[in-house]
Amino acid sequence: MGSVNVNKSEDALQQTMHTLAVRLVKAYLSNNSIPPASVPPLLAGTHATLLALMKPPAADSTPVPLPSPSEIRRSVQPDRIVSFIDGRSLKTLKRHLAAHGLTPDQYRRRYGLPPDYPMTAPAYATQRSQIAKGVRLERESS
């Protein structure tokens, strides 16, 4: 009985994707002129792309070697943090991680890092904190 519900939801998804593909192609054709013989492949390609976008991304099959506890400790220096992705030394990891499609939590899980592993070099975080406090003091005194 459960497979019937799955088939119905898959059919509904297929129908929704088909309808969306037709709308997209219709909108494209309202602004572009293509030969009539090119419309079916355009519709099929659009439909296939929409279905592919709905599938969850494939898990990376390459296992990532986990750093040792000593490597984790050494990766955090006062003025830099060493990325386990490519070994680069950075003041902050957030933008670097985003460029690799990772959030800080995903990065920590991927490399077996503790939940409190910093994303910013300690000295840089202190420096930014002092700047922020200075700005607050300036606003309060004005």
Side-chain angles (χ1 to χ4, degrees):
M1 186 117 174
S3 64
V4 172
N5 289 337
V6 170
N7 288 339
K8 284 184 181 180
S9 64
E10 286 178 10
D11 289 344
L13 178 63
Q14 285 281 347
Q15 184 61 38
T16 301
M17 290 299 120
H18 180 74
T19 302
L20 186 55
V22 169
R23 285 182 177 175
L24 287 169
V25 169
K26 184 178 174 182
Y28 177 80
L29 293 175
S30 70
N31 294 313
N32 298 282
S33 138
I34 65 171
S38 298
V39 174
L42 177 63
L43 182 58
T46 303
H47 185 255
T49 300
L50 289 172
L51 289 176
L53 289 172
M54 293 300 297
K55 293 181 183 175
D60 188 7
S61 60
T62 309
V64 177
L66 297 179
S68 68
S70 64
E71 289 174 318
I72 293 172
R73 281 191 305 276
R74 284 182 295 183
S75 70
V76 180
Q77 300 293 317
D79 60 339
R80 63 190 167 92
I81 293 186
V82 178
S83 167
F84 289 110
I85 297 171
D86 57 9
R88 290 178 54 195
S89 294
L90 305 156
K91 288 184 179 183
T92 180
L93 287 176
K94 286 187 179 182
R95 187 175 291 164
H96 177 66
L97 297 180
H100 290 279
L102 294 172
T103 65
D105 288 334
Q106 290 170 331
Y107 177 73
R108 289 180 181 113
R109 279 193 306 271
R110 177 186 242 181
Y111 293 101
L113 303 172
D116 62 344
Y117 185 83
M119 292 291 117
T120 305
Y124 185 67
T126 302
Q127 177 187 12
R128 299 297 299 167
S129 175
Q130 289 171 347
I131 291 171
K133 288 176 184 174
V135 169
R136 265 187 254 129
L137 289 174
E138 288 177 13
R139 286 185 187 163
E140 289 174 3
S141 65
S142 352

